[in-house]
Every structure is written in C-alpha cells, then in structure tokens.
Amino acid sequence: MPALSARQFSDPLVNGDILTRLIEFLEESNIKYAENEPMKNHTTFKVGGNAAVMVFPGSEECAAEIVKCCSRLGIRLIVIGNGSNLLVSDNGIDACVMCFSNDFSDISLQDDETVFAQSGASLMKLCRFALEHSLSGLEFAYGIPGSCGGAAFMNAGAYGGEMKDVLYKCRHIDKNGNIGFLQGDAMQLSYRHSAYYDNGSVVTGLYLKLKKGNKEEIKAAMDDFLQRRKEKQPLEYPSAGSTFKRPQGFFAGALIEECGLKGKTVGGAQISEKHAGFVINKGNATCSDILKLCSICSETVLKQKGVKLEMEIRVTE
C-alpha cells in the first residue's frame, strides 16, 4: 500500500482516545501488536523512527479485520513485509503499520507446477521451495531480499526476469476489508509497478505458475545469480537495493558514476564504492542523510546528463 504523507493523516493516533480504541480492538481480537516499535528493526536500511503501533496478522481474515478497524477509526494503515524497499522518516510513522512476517509466510503446492505463497514469505524461502520441488522460473529472484507481497506489489525483477513472468494471480484485501483477487492483465504488471500501487488494496497471497525442471540446473542458476550479486552489489552494508529506477536507455548506477559521485557521503550515507546504483548505510545514517544524498544524485545527473532519475525506494513518514 503506498504510504501517505503524515499531513494527510490528521493525527488520529496523537488522539489518545483513538489509540486506546485501536489497542482495545487488537487485544479483544487477540492480535499480536507492539507500540512505539522501532522501524529500523523492520527495514533493510536499518534507519527510521518508531511506528505508533505495529500489528502482526496471523491470517488473511485477521488482516481484513485490521483493515476494517483502521478504516472505521480513520487511522492511516501502512503495510510492510521485509522492509527491503522502504525508507522511514527519522520522526517515525504516526500510523498503524501492518507487518506480514513469519506468522504469515506459508508456501504450498496447488498442483505439480503451481505454487501459492503468503505475502510474508521471503523470496529466498519461495525460491528454495521451488528448488526443493524441481520447479524452474524463479531463479532470477534468488538473493532478492524482499518478501513475496512486496515482490508482487512492485513487480520485482533482476537479471532479465520479473515476477510478471511467473505470477498469474494475487489475493488481496481491498480498502473496505473485502477479500478478493486480481488475475492476469488486471494486475497491470510493468516495470516496478502493479495495480496495487494505485488501488490501495493489500496483497496477501501469490499464485505462481512454474515449470518442471532439472534440480541441479535450477540450483546452478540460482547459485550463479547469487554469486553475481555478492560480487557486484554492496550486500555487506544496509541498503534498500537499487536506489533509483532504470531510466529508459540508461543505467542509473553508470550515470551516477560518470558524474563522479561514486563514494560520495552525506553523514552516514554513502553512494556505494562497489556499485553506484546503491545508496548504503555506511554507519549510523539517518533518513535525512539518505534523502540528501539521493537529491544530490538526482540534481547532478539531471544537470550533467539531462536524465531524470526516479526513486525506486518508497519513502514513508
């Protein structure tokens, strides 16, 4: 679900009565939650302030009730998985954050070539499940640090493969708390985009059509992609992966490097010396540091190369 500005939130959680009503609902419904939860513990960038309330649904029905409650109380709801494409404000999030994690990560076979995965499952877990059952089609995703829900939301991809190549249906909860699905072209999967960017629904599950393959060949391809990532990407530092979308006809990292920005720092944030397409948390970076460095990249590339860079990372406040 796209994050909204805190200014659009009307400060409902600052109102103690509404916060109390939300907590009462969570306790009466036996839903796991935490107050003032540090978002740096839930993002791969390892930065950001606290979430007013974080909830951890254990079922799709539970998630639907959370959506209904937040709608009824006028509380902004933000949905996260592994937080691998997320940058959170240093001031935190005055909202209810619904986290799909290990409690919502089941993966199962629907038939010999069809896999269902709950949105909280990691892509690594999904890829290993496919390998275990000798199913090919997800090799490209091995090593991507996101969750299945996030991968569908943004049509994640790498090394010539995308989720749209294997994803044929998504289960979701709409803004009114109703459970439904989108299938085929209705998902509007394109470069780093899906219908879920625009419709406000929460992805809860993925149906993927894979193909029977040779287990040794699948493993070899997965290992090759993972090794490439280790060699070329700064995996040793916290980041959100590729910082900018690929401009048509160009590569963001190459443009940034050509502008002499490789290795540039702002506070604890740095343009990786290993791959200029990654802004990393070199040590104790703040959200402000990262955003300032991203702005420098965008402004410099536009001025020197005439190419406008668009952030791939979602920023919330």
Side-chain angles (χ1 to χ4, degrees):
M1 179 181 293
L4 301 178
S5 165
R7 287 175 291 280
Q8 294 173 279
F9 190 27
S10 301
D11 290 332
L13 287 186
V14 175
N15 184 320
D17 179 58
I18 292 194
L19 176 59
T20 298
R21 289 165 65 188
L22 174 61
I23 298 303
E24 287 176 350
F25 160 77
L26 295 171
E27 292 186 345
E28 289 171 0
S29 303
N30 199 29
I31 296 172
K32 187 176 5 175
Y33 73 95
E35 295 183 68
N36 296 312
E37 180 69 11
M39 288 300 298
K40 66 181 181 180
N41 296 337
H42 298 277
T43 69
T44 56
F45 243 138
K46 303 301 180 186
V47 301
N50 296 351
V53 178
M54 181 173 285
V55 293
F56 305 89
S59 69
E60 190 174 54
E61 293 73 22
C62 173
E65 289 306 310
I66 293 169
V67 171
K68 290 176 184 176
C69 179
C70 287
S71 176
R72 185 169 60 249
L73 295 176
I75 294 173
R76 183 171 61 125
L77 178 67
I78 293 174
V79 180
I80 68 169
N82 193 45
S84 62
N85 198 46
L86 186 65
L87 178 59
V88 176
S89 166
D90 299 317
N91 296 323
I93 304 175
D94 194 12
C96 177
V97 176
M98 182 157 62
C99 180
F100 287 119
S101 56
N102 290 334
D103 294 334
F104 204 88
S105 62
D106 289 344
I107 302 174
S108 60
L109 278 176
Q110 302 296 292
D111 58 41
D112 288 347
E113 296 187 334
T114 306
V115 174
F116 174 76
Q118 289 186 312
S119 59
S122 70
L123 279 178
M124 292 288 279
K125 179 179 178 180
L126 176 61
C127 290
R128 288 171 179 152
F129 182 91
L131 173 63
E132 179 184 345
H133 293 87
S134 301
L135 292 171
S136 178
L138 279 167
E139 290 87 340
F140 73 90
Y142 193 60
I144 296 177
S147 65
C148 289
F153 178 86
M154 67 173 295
N155 184 31
Y159 299 112
E162 295 178 289
M163 290 301 291
K164 72 175 184 179
D165 300 332
V166 293
L167 179 62
Y168 78 91
K169 184 166 74 171
C170 275
R171 291 181 64 86
H172 66 242
I173 300 166
D174 69 18
K175 292 183 288 187
N176 298 314
N178 300 312
I179 295 171
F181 67 89
L182 290 179
Q183 185 169 344
D185 292 343
M187 293 186 290
Q188 299 175 25
L189 299 174
S190 59
Y191 178 67
R192 302 299 178 267
H193 183 269
S194 75
Y196 293 105
Y197 260 89
D198 309 312
N199 65 17
S201 295
V202 177
V203 177
T204 56
L206 288 65
Y207 292 87
L208 306 112
K209 183 64 69 175
L210 305 177
K211 294 181 179 179
K212 279 291 184 181
N214 180 281
K215 193 170 187 176
E216 288 72 25
E217 292 177 358
I218 295 169
K219 185 177 187 304
M222 288 169 57
D223 290 344
D224 176 55
F225 288 138
L226 184 59
Q227 186 59 35
R228 288 196 225 176
R229 286 188 170 91
K230 290 179 179 179
E231 290 174 354
K232 297 180 180 180
Q233 300 177 8
L235 304 182
E236 63 272 28
Y237 292 104
S239 77
S242 296
T243 305
F244 298 96
K245 293 182 180 179
R246 185 179 66 244
Q248 190 170 0
F250 300 92
F251 291 98
L255 291 170
I256 294 167
E257 184 171 355
E258 289 167 10
C259 289
L261 294 172
K262 198 172 189 180
K264 183 172 180 58
T265 62
V266 172
Q270 182 187 57
I271 297 172
S272 170
E273 296 174 305
K274 194 172 186 179
H275 190 312
F278 287 67
V279 172
I280 61 173
N281 180 355
K282 191 71 180 289
N284 299 314
T286 64
C287 176
S288 179
D289 291 340
I290 293 166
L291 289 177
K292 286 178 183 176
L293 189 53
C294 289
S295 292
I296 290 171
C297 285
S298 299
E299 292 167 5
T300 304
V301 169
L302 182 60
K303 182 178 180 180
Q304 293 190 21
K305 299 292 184 178
V307 179
K308 185 176 181 179
L309 295 181
E310 182 182 352
M311 292 273 284
E312 183 168 313
I313 300 167
R314 296 168 61 212
V315 182
T316 68
E317 58 182 3

